[in-house]
Amino acid sequence: MSTHEGSVAWAREYAGRGHGHWIDAAWVPATGATLDVVDPGRGEVIGAIAAGDAAVVDRAVASARASFEAGSWAGLSGTARSTVLLGIADEIAADAENLAHLEALDNGMPLASARGHVANAVQAFRYYAGMADKIFGHTSQIQARGHQFLGYSLKEPIGVAALVVPWNAPLRQTVYKVAPALAAGCSMVLKPAEETSLSGLRLAELLHRAGVPSGVFNVITGEGVPVGSGLAEHPGVDKLSFTGSTEVGRSIVAASAGNLKKLTLELGGKSPLILCADADLDRAAPTVAMSIFGNSGQVCSAASRLIVHRSIHDEVVERVSAFGRTLRLGYHDQEVDLGPLVSAKQLSRVSSYVDGGVAAGAEIVGGRPEGVPGDGYFYAPTVLAGVEPTMAVAREEIFGPVLAALAFDEVDEAVALANDTAFGLAGSVFTRDVGRAHAMAARIRAGRVGINVHGITDFTMPGGGYKESGWGRENGPAALDPYLETKAVFTALDG
Ligand code: NAD
């Protein structure tokens, strides 16, 4: 059997095992209800995961708390934690092909994308391994009350962290939380999205193999309510890091008020891509297309609003639509450019937005695309022109391969349109004029701005949102801060 066939078979077998929760380094079987694992390409049920409840949340939080209090991880030196993180990277690298097939099967993304996410996970653990032994405070000579003091600050792990992630890039979103939380010395409970829990469960096994002590990393599966909400309400959780929709982010803020747990929120977007009249269209048209069609539009920073100079509007929308039609849609284990949407629910959401946009007066450039595979949750790349800024397709996050094109005449108008949104996750400007590029980038109210590129995500750079796209930042040089508390210590030097 070839490696490819072997990994396809392994992923299906793993999906079909019937998974429980991972608590205190052991599998805890589902005690009640289960949730289907569905192959979104073929619309088939291929397995089941446990549907957790309040008791499971309590048990997982207790496991994390006990390991934290015992100091089995938080009490290690940064160097010792770094060594384990490097070992995790090696375990993921050794499992890369199987893990990529599992991710592609569960989410529907093309295998090439899943391989990229796994490779990125390996690098991210190595990056955070380099940070685990560089957690520094500072010192200060102080004179107060007529005496001399030495002040120093300590950075301490925040405690028990709950990590709640979405389905669109499951492993990647998970690693961007788990790796810094481990580097900081936290114990944690991961709650993957109910649509895509398999890579998080596999990760638990790999972390265990690499030597992460029992109870430090727990995974509980199930619906947002009661599992995600249970973590948000739980008094035993000190910190919650959430990636997902703005709507759920709001409910997490409310639910976490009881013990005022610290929050990081990476939320939704409706990101603008401004295309100026002088842009290099041969380069820009495919980039515009892949900035919204990549991963079938299920990307938080997707360039879902094209703000294009009126003089090139018609040519650009034709080119982007034509490019979209060249993309091969298909199953995760074939050579494809785009996979299906993650679920029947997501397919229905995307279809109804497009139908609503057409009913409101927008036009599908080139008509509705044809030749879409029929058995799974596929939706073809779609370009909408004649969009007004007030339409739902221009204001709300669709999270599918649907581009809303808006025309502008003056630069100020383009910036105003770009900022005319409740979101502020990402944005970009395409122009050959360097001065204009930087001036416009400074005016876009978003956490991540591209110049002649859109939506790059990298663990070496901070990511996060302005406005209703979130609180705080993940990744980059300050990535450990959300998982650390800072303590100031004052020492009397003269008795
Ligand atoms: P979602 O908000 O529906 O769910 C995300 C996670 O929250 C899931 O694990 C879900 O089970 C859980 N959840 C649901 N209800 C909850 C509740 N009441 N309390 C606690 N947890 C709850 O999002 P989704 O549909 O899985 O993912 C798509 C969304 O994620 C989009 O809005 C997208 O923009 C966003 N996203 C943001 C980023 C970013 O970095 N800003 C990255 C990827 C995705």
Side-chain angles (χ1 to χ4, degrees):
M1 202 183 274
S2 75
T3 304
H4 178 82
E5 287 162 344
S7 292
V8 169
W10 179 87
R12 288 194 82 85
E13 185 277 323
Y14 192 89
R17 277 184 201 177
H19 291 274
H21 311 282
W22 177 264
I23 300 175
D24 208 13
W27 290 113
V28 175
T31 46
T34 60
L35 299 175
D36 290 342
V37 174
V38 176
D39 169 358
R42 298 183 171 86
E44 287 170 11
V45 175
I46 54 171
I49 53 167
D53 55 16
V56 161
V57 174
D58 282 344
R59 192 166 164 181
V61 172
S63 159
R65 175 62 57 195
S67 74
F68 187 73
E69 300 299 340
S72 56
W73 183 248
L76 296 186
S77 69
T79 310
R81 289 203 298 269
S82 173
T83 303
V84 175
L85 263 73
L86 289 172
I88 295 170
D90 292 345
E91 289 292 344
I92 296 174
D95 198 49
E97 207 41 28
N98 284 351
L99 196 51
H101 276 81
L102 188 66
E103 186 80 328
L105 172 64
D106 203 17
N107 167 277
M109 68 175 70
L111 188 56
S113 304
R115 284 188 176 126
H117 289 196
V118 173
N120 190 265
V122 173
Q123 291 170 324
F125 271 103
R126 290 186 179 141
Y127 176 77
Y128 286 110
M131 284 193 178
D133 57 359
K134 297 175 194 66
I135 299 172
F136 304 125
H138 77 288
T139 59
S140 178
Q141 287 290 131
I142 300 157
Q143 283 203 347
R145 302 176 191 167
H147 294 278
Q148 298 273 349
F149 298 90
L150 169 66
Y152 62 90
S153 63
L154 293 173
K155 299 273 185 184
E156 299 175 343
I158 201 164
V160 172
L163 314 174
V164 181
V165 297
W167 45 259
N168 65 315
L171 180 69
R172 193 174 164 124
Q173 301 297 347
T174 298
V175 167
Y176 287 175
K177 299 185 191 305
V178 172
L182 281 176
C186 292
S187 291
M188 63 208 76
V189 180
L190 168 70
K191 192 270 193 241
E194 48 273 46
E195 296 87 348
T196 55
S197 293
L198 299 180
S199 57
L201 293 167
R202 180 63 175 167
L203 194 63
E205 295 174 315
L206 301 178
L207 264 58
H208 184 57
R209 273 187 210 164
V212 173
S214 302
V216 172
F217 183 69
N218 305 277
V219 185
I220 53 176
T221 58
E223 309 254 27
V225 180
V227 182
S229 57
L231 288 167
E233 288 162 7
H234 207 290
V237 172
D238 302 298
K239 155 88 195 171
L240 191 149
S241 178
F242 171 72
T243 299
S245 61
T246 294
E247 184 191 354
V248 171
R250 268 195 197 93
S251 75
I252 285 177
V253 170
S256 62
N259 70 337
L260 291 175
K261 56 179 65 64
K262 313 291 187 287
L263 296 178
T264 305
L265 303 174
E266 297 282 332
L267 307 178
K270 189 73 184 176
S271 299
L273 185 157
I274 301 175
L275 192 58
C276 297
D278 68 341
D280 175 349
L281 290 195
D282 287 340
R283 275 187 58 194
T287 305
V288 170
M290 290 315 290
S291 298
I292 177 63
F293 301 148
N295 206 29
S296 298
Q298 302 167 118
V299 177
C300 54
S301 58
S304 48
R305 289 185 297 142
L306 171 65
I307 298 171
V308 52
H309 195 267
R310 200 174 301 281
S311 63
I312 55 170
H313 171 279
D314 292 355
E315 181 182 353
V316 169
V317 295
E318 285 297 340
R319 281 202 197 197
V320 173
S321 168
F323 187 91
R325 279 156 211 270
T326 67
L327 297 172
R328 298 160 302 170
L329 274 65
Y331 306 105
H332 64 90
D333 49 4
Q334 301 169 338
E335 281 287 313
V336 295
D337 301 307
L338 302 180
L341 300 178
V342 76
S343 63
K345 184 175 152 202
Q346 193 62 15
L347 178 60
S348 141
R349 173 187 171 91
V350 173
S351 312
S352 66
Y353 266 110
V354 172
D355 293 347
V358 170
E363 171 206 349
I364 299 177
V365 179
R368 283 183 193 268
E370 291 167 3
V372 178
D375 42 358
Y377 309 132
F378 291 93
Y379 199 87
T382 300
V383 178
L384 293 174
V387 173
E388 294 297 330
T390 51
M391 290 180 185
V393 289
R395 306 205 73 78
E396 295 170 22
E397 185 177 45
I398 300 174
F399 226 53
V402 180
L403 180 65
L406 301 136
F408 74 90
D409 294 298
E410 304 296 334
V411 164
D412 284 350
E413 186 190 355
V415 173
L417 279 170
N419 290 334
D420 180 21
T421 171
F423 297 108
L425 192 60
S428 55
V429 53
F430 285 68
T431 173
R432 284 190 253 215
D433 181 329
V434 175
R436 176 160 60 187
H438 288 284
M440 289 177 81
R443 293 175 66 192
I444 295 174
R445 301 279 301 154
R448 201 174 351 145
V449 179
I451 294 176
N452 295 326
V453 67
H454 184 95
I456 300 253
T457 306
D458 192 84
F459 49 77
T460 64
M461 291 290 286
Y466 284 30
K467 302 195 273 184
E468 294 180 23
S469 288
W471 283 356
R473 294 291 177 273
E474 276 192 331
N475 289 328
L480 265 47
D481 287 357
Y483 298 100
L484 296 167
E485 286 282 22
T486 304
K487 178 183 287 171
V489 181
F490 297 82
T491 314
L493 295 179
D494 49 3

